[in-house]
């Protein structure tokens, strides 16, 4: 006979697997008596599980939404599937900021048995996530270490490389992780400089927590701090464009972390965007796939025209509607 606690977990797993079970079916699956099933159902209700029952010989038991969330029971395959899905949600930003997915992944990973955690680590090493716009990616274990540092409220030693590749070691008080849709940023108080700073997570080399408590007095708005930091980056080239979109739609097309927006009437928006080169800016503007107007400088306008002309030339047909003589799959 299995212990009561193990039996209750097994019962929850069975109730979660099907819309409804009869008492006899549950008793047979668990190798217990009908009376034991009824007692265990009563225990689950005391623990906060909403278990409904239908009277009569054909009645049964089913889980219903409760007033609070009880513990979730997953088998090995389900736990791995949820962990991988949470990892992808955190890295891709498909659920918005990714904070909820990252927090759930951290909790799940801490509760996994050793053999499942090892499988997840091995699986994570074989998965690749396509970067957005060529952005560098961060390893999931390192991202979880940063999340754990924020949850621990302990001072942390951060090995970091800046945009020039220069290595440094920082004593920081981790506060929040912010996802912009392109990158993850750590918001932390720099202990030496006594100020709140942002650190690109993909430039973090290692994270080593200490036993000293973090000083999180008067924390900032983490998302706003990251947005201001990105907007303040100085680029060698800037361009001003006009989008034929109202301000709200222009912000969806070009995020505020990439450009500075100002309305140009009710149906258009002016946007200033910085880049590392005219070619880089032209390629980005072309990727927007919208009939925008480059107002300045002329170098960016000409680079955009060259990109568009090269694209037209590569796809040119001698006559309108003419097909090439070779099929796409034959050379």
């Amino acid at each position: 006979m299995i212990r009561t606690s193990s039996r209750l977990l097994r019962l929850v797993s069975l109730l979660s697997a099907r819309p409804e079970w009869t008492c006899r079916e549950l008793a047979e699956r668990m190798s217990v008596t009908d009376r034991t099933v009824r007692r265990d159902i009563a225990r689950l209700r005391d623990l906060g599980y909403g278990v409904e029952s239908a009277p009569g010989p054909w009645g049964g038991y089913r889980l219903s939404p409760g007033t609070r969330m009880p513990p979730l029971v997953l088998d090995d395959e389900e736990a791995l599937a949820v962990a991988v899905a949470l990892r992808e949600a955190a890295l891709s930003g498909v659920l918005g900021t990714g904070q909820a997915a990252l927090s759930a992944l951290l909790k799940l990973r801490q509760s996994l048995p050793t053999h499942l955690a090892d499988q997840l680590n091995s699986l994570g090493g074989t998965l690749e996530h396509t970067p957005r716009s060529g952005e560098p990616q961060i390893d999931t274990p390192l991202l979880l270490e940063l999340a754990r540092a924020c949850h621990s409220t302990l001072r942390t030693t951060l090995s970091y490389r800046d945009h020039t590749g220069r290595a440094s070691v920082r004593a920081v008080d981790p506060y929040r992780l912010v996802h912009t849709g392109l990158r993850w940023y750590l918001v932390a108080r720099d202990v030496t400089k006594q100020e709140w700073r942002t650190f690109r997570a993909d430039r973090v080399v290692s994270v080593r927590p200490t036993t000293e408590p973090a000083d999180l007095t008067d924390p900032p708005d983490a998302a706003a701090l990251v947005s201001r930091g990105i907007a303040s980056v100085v680029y060698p080239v800037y361009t001003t464009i006009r989008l034929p979109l109202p301000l709200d739609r222009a912000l969806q097309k070009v995020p505020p972390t990439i450009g500075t927006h100002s309305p140009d009437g009710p149906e258009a928006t002016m946007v200033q965007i910085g880049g590392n080169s005219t070619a880089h800016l032209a390629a980005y503007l072309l990727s927007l796939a919208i009939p925008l107007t480059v107002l300045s400088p002329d170098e960016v306008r000409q680079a955009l025209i060259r990109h568009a002309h090269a694209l037209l030339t590569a796809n040119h047909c001698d006559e309108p509607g003419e097909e090439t003589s070779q099929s796409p799959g034959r050379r």
Side-chain angles (χ1 to χ4, degrees):
M1 182 71 66
I2 60 176
R3 293 181 304 171
T4 301
S5 57
S6 300
R7 196 173 62 243
L8 290 179
L9 290 175
R10 172 64 174 158
L11 180 56
V12 171
S13 181
L14 289 172
L15 290 171
S16 303
R18 259 176 46 180
E20 188 167 302
W21 296 81
T22 67
C23 184
R24 172 54 23 200
E25 288 174 331
L26 290 171
E28 291 176 353
R29 291 293 295 269
M30 298 172 62
S31 301
V32 297
T33 64
D34 291 9
R35 182 180 178 184
T36 299
V37 170
R38 288 192 289 269
R39 284 202 306 262
D40 287 347
I41 291 292
R43 291 190 179 101
L44 289 181
R45 287 168 174 162
D46 290 340
L47 291 171
Y49 286 83
V51 183
E52 297 178 348
S53 57
W58 303 108
Y61 297 103
R62 60 180 176 269
L63 284 178
S64 62
T67 56
R68 61 188 177 93
M69 181 177 290
L72 182 65
V73 179
L74 301 173
D75 61 28
D76 287 5
E77 290 186 359
E78 291 171 335
L80 283 175
V82 170
V84 171
L86 289 172
R87 170 191 180 274
E88 292 304 296
L91 291 177
S92 66
V94 68
L95 298 179
T97 64
Q99 286 278 6
L102 185 59
S103 177
L105 178 58
L106 179 60
K107 293 177 182 178
L108 178 61
R109 191 160 184 161
Q110 289 174 332
S111 64
L112 287 177
T114 302
H115 73 282
L116 277 186
D118 291 341
Q119 287 185 50
L120 182 59
N121 289 336
S122 299
L123 184 61
T126 66
L127 297 176
E128 293 290 341
H129 191 273
T130 304
R132 294 187 178 185
S133 303
E135 293 295 335
Q137 293 296 288
I138 179 174
D139 292 333
T140 307
L142 180 57
L143 189 61
L144 288 176
E145 285 297 318
L146 290 171
R148 189 175 292 111
C150 293
H151 279 277
S152 70
T153 65
L154 294 176
R155 185 156 293 172
T156 299
T157 302
L158 210 66
S159 295
Y160 189 73
R161 293 186 183 276
D162 63 17
H163 67 283
T164 66
R166 181 170 56 89
S168 63
V169 177
R170 315 281 187 94
V172 301
D173 294 331
Y175 176 55
R176 290 287 188 272
L177 279 169
V178 176
H179 190 245
T180 66
L182 295 175
R183 302 188 184 110
W184 281 97
Y185 289 83
L186 170 68
V187 174
R189 194 177 70 90
D190 189 308
V191 176
T192 302
K193 297 182 179 180
Q194 292 291 299
E195 61 183 14
W196 290 96
R197 304 290 296 272
T198 62
F199 302 88
R200 269 180 50 173
D202 57 278
R203 291 177 179 164
V204 174
V205 179
S206 65
V207 182
R208 296 188 300 277
T210 70
T211 57
E212 188 177 355
D215 180 7
L216 301 178
T217 305
D218 193 23
D221 182 326
L225 184 64
V226 169
S227 295
R228 288 196 300 269
I230 295 173
S232 65
V233 174
V234 178
Y235 290 98
V237 184
Y238 285 88
T239 184
T240 301
I241 64 173
R242 185 179 187 272
L243 295 178
L245 300 171
L247 181 60
D248 57 340
R249 291 181 57 196
L251 285 166
Q252 295 174 359
K253 198 70 174 177
V254 181
T257 53
I258 292 179
T260 303
H261 302 66
S262 59
D264 184 26
E267 299 298 329
T269 305
M270 309 278 280
V271 186
Q272 185 182 57
I273 305 172
N276 293 321
S277 66
T278 57
H280 174 266
L281 283 172
Y284 175 74
L285 296 179
L286 197 62
S287 72
L288 295 178
I290 188 171
L292 55 88
T293 303
V294 178
L295 302 178
S296 67
D298 187 60
E299 291 81 5
V300 173
R301 184 186 302 108
Q302 294 303 321
L304 179 61
I305 292 173
R306 287 193 298 271
H307 274 67
H309 186 268
L311 191 61
L312 287 172
T313 301
N315 292 275
H316 177 69
C317 293
D318 291 336
E319 297 293 337
E322 181 182 346
E323 299 290 340
T324 57
S325 60
Q326 289 182 322
S327 63
R330 298 172 63 183
R331 300 290 180 190

